[in-house]
């Protein structure tokens, strides 16, 4: 029997594999941005500057990774930004009010934040409402609760200091410490970021759960028809975003000791932008964790590169918007080229 037309044994060319990678466009964009700021900002290539860029990238990247997985699964989370603040507030206020070891507050914050993520996923799967509506409602509720509970408990819009409480030094070491390598300081959040990228990439590319994520993002009804646990997968993805928010929230708390209740509003758009720049499709079913990391790196280079170049920072949002459009167009072109090589 002839096997010439059997697609199961067709070999994929290296070029087609490269063009098919979701993060290809973002990598090209990252190289362009890096070269650009290396040319226009004399201090950009200094080791301390690269460390600053990586730190700025990591604070976005920690959230961009789970947000990217959620987008691959076909959903959004508009509550991600304020959820970071909620996580920090819960940890701080519980520890202070209960005069407990700060690790107790950290643990309670983890459980509460995961519960918020599970709530988003449960409401989505039970009501079949768009994730935009579900998470917009959660965003508004958390924004009000952050401010209301903080003023009710602390009497102000910020939490009380917990720097002198038991467990603070060890928690600070885990979530907000600085590592010195070769005389250059690097924030521990960079390690958290790289670790999340590695774990998320393993899940997407090497596990059955990764197949489920791509399947529910591509066509959830078809996925359900072949036995994919759609509801469980989507709830898990929202809890993944919540876990990222918990890490970011603890970093926020243990970096500055106190938390402002109004922080985080608007950051959810930055996380989504990083994922889109990294190759994730708005429609779901396509993207990668590595791409989200590259998108966050582009964000970090742009935000700090403008400062190093001594430009007016008011133009930052303009550059960010332009990068979003260019990255989206480039990703679309790359996909077309990949399809054309079949």
């Amino acid at each position: 029997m002839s096997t010439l037309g059997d697609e199961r044994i067709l070999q994929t060319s290296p070029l087609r594999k490269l063009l098919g990678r979701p993060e290809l466009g973002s990598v090209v964009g990252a190289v362009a941005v890096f070269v650009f700021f290396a040319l226009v900002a004399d201090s950009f290539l200094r080791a301390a500057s690269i460390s600053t860029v990586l730190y700025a990238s990591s604070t976005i990247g920690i959230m961009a990774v789970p947000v990217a997985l959620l987008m691959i699964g076909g959903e959004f989370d508009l509550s991600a930004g304020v959820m970071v603040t909620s996580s920090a507030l819960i940890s701080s206020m519980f520890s202070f009010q209960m005069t407990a070891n700060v690790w107790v507050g950290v643990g309670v914050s983890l459980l509460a934040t995961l519960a918020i993520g599970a709530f988003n996923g449960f409401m989505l799967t039970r009501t079949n409402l768009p994730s935009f509506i579900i998470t917009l409602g959660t965003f508004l509720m958390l924004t009000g609760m952050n401010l209301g509970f903080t003023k009710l408990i602390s009497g102000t819009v910020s939490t009380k200091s917990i720097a002198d409480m038991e467990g603070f030094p060890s928690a600070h070491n885990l979530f907000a410490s600085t590592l010195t390598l070769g005389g250059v300081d690097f924030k521990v959040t960079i390690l958290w970021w790289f670790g999340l990228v590695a774990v998320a990439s393993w899940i997407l590319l090497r596990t059955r759960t990764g197949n489920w994520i791509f399947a529910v993002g591509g066509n959830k009804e078809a996925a359900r028809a072949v036995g994919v646990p759609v509801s469980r997968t989507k709830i898990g993805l929202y809890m993944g975003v919540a876990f990222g928010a918990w890490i970011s929230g603890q970093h926020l708390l243990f970096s500055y000791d106190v938390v402002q209740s109004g922080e985080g509003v608007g950051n959810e758009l930055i996380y989504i932008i990083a994922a889109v720049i990294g190759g994730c499709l708005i429609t779901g079913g396509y993207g990668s964790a590595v791409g989200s990391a590259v998108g966050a790196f582009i964000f970090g280079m742009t935000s700090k590169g403008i400062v190093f170049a001594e430009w007016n920072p008011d133009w930052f949002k303009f550059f960010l918007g332009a990068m979003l459009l260019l990255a989206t167009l480039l990703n679309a072109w790359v996909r077309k080229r990949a399809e054309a090589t079949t």
Side-chain angles (χ1 to χ4, degrees), residues 147-227:
L147 179 60
F149 275 115
T150 304
K151 293 184 72 173
L152 178 66
I153 295 175
S154 302
T156 64
V157 296
S158 64
T159 60
K160 303 296 184 181
S161 173
I162 61 171
D164 58 348
M165 295 188 66
E166 184 180 357
F168 186 91
S170 57
H172 177 272
N173 288 338
L174 180 61
F175 294 108
S177 61
T178 300
L179 309 174
T180 302
L181 298 174
V184 181
D185 292 336
F186 294 92
K187 289 289 188 179
V188 72
T189 49
I190 299 172
L191 296 181
W192 278 104
W193 177 35
F194 289 168
L196 286 175
V197 172
V199 171
S201 296
W202 174 74
I203 290 173
L204 282 177
L205 303 177
R206 293 287 184 264
T207 70
R208 182 172 58 178
T209 301
N211 294 331
W212 291 347
I213 293 171
F214 282 108
V216 299
N219 188 324
K220 67 177 183 181
E221 296 305 327
R224 183 177 284 114
V226 296

Side-chain angles (χ1 to χ4, degrees), residues 23-34:
E23 63 272 8
L24 176 61
S26 62
V27 170
V28 173
V31 172
V33 171
F34 184 87

Side-chain angles (χ1 to χ4, degrees), residues 56-68 71 76-86 88 139 143 146 241 244-245 248-249 251-252 256 259-276 296 299 303 316-317 320:
S57 303
S58 69
T59 57
I60 301 301
I62 286 173
M63 286 300 295
V65 170
V67 166
M71 291 181 65
F76 292 96
D77 191 346
L78 297 181
S79 67
V82 292
M83 198 189 306
V84 171
T85 307
S86 298
F139 161 81
T143 302
N146 288 349
V241 174
S248 295
H251 171 68
L252 177 66
Y256 303 104
V259 183
Q260 298 291 327
S261 59
E263 292 185 26
V265 176
N267 285 350
E268 61 281 345
L269 297 179
I270 295 176
Y271 308 145
I272 293 173
I273 289 171
V276 172
F299 180 95
S303 62
F316 169 66
K317 291 293 178 65
L320 189 62

Side-chain angles (χ1 to χ4, degrees), residues 249-320:
Q250 303 317 296
H251 171 68
L252 177 66
L253 171 61
F254 293 107
S255 290
Y256 303 104
D257 178 28
V258 296
V259 183
Q260 298 291 327
S261 59
E263 292 185 26
V265 176
N267 285 350
E268 61 281 345
L269 297 179
I270 295 176
Y271 308 145
I272 293 173
I273 289 171
V276 172
I277 290 176
C280 291
L281 292 182
I282 299 294
T283 52
Y286 188 80
S288 71
V290 172
S292 72
V294 178
F297 185 54
I298 291 175
F299 180 95
M301 285 192 292
T302 304
S303 62
K304 298 306 177 183
I306 289 175
V307 175
F308 296 143
E310 299 182 352
W311 294 347
N312 187 338
D314 294 340
W315 287 92
F316 169 66
K317 291 293 178 65
F318 170 82
F319 284 103
L320 189 62

Side-chain angles (χ1 to χ4, degrees), residues 18-66:
L18 178 62
L19 289 175
R21 293 302 306 165
E23 63 272 8
L24 176 61
S26 62
V27 170
V28 173
V31 172
V33 171
F34 184 87
V35 172
F36 176 75
F37 282 113
L39 293 175
V40 302
D42 294 336
S43 61
F44 185 76
L45 293 179
R46 296 175 183 171
S49 299
I50 298 298
S51 171
T52 301
V53 167
L54 287 174
Y55 173 59
S57 303
S58 69
T59 57
I60 301 301
I62 286 173
M63 286 300 295
V65 170

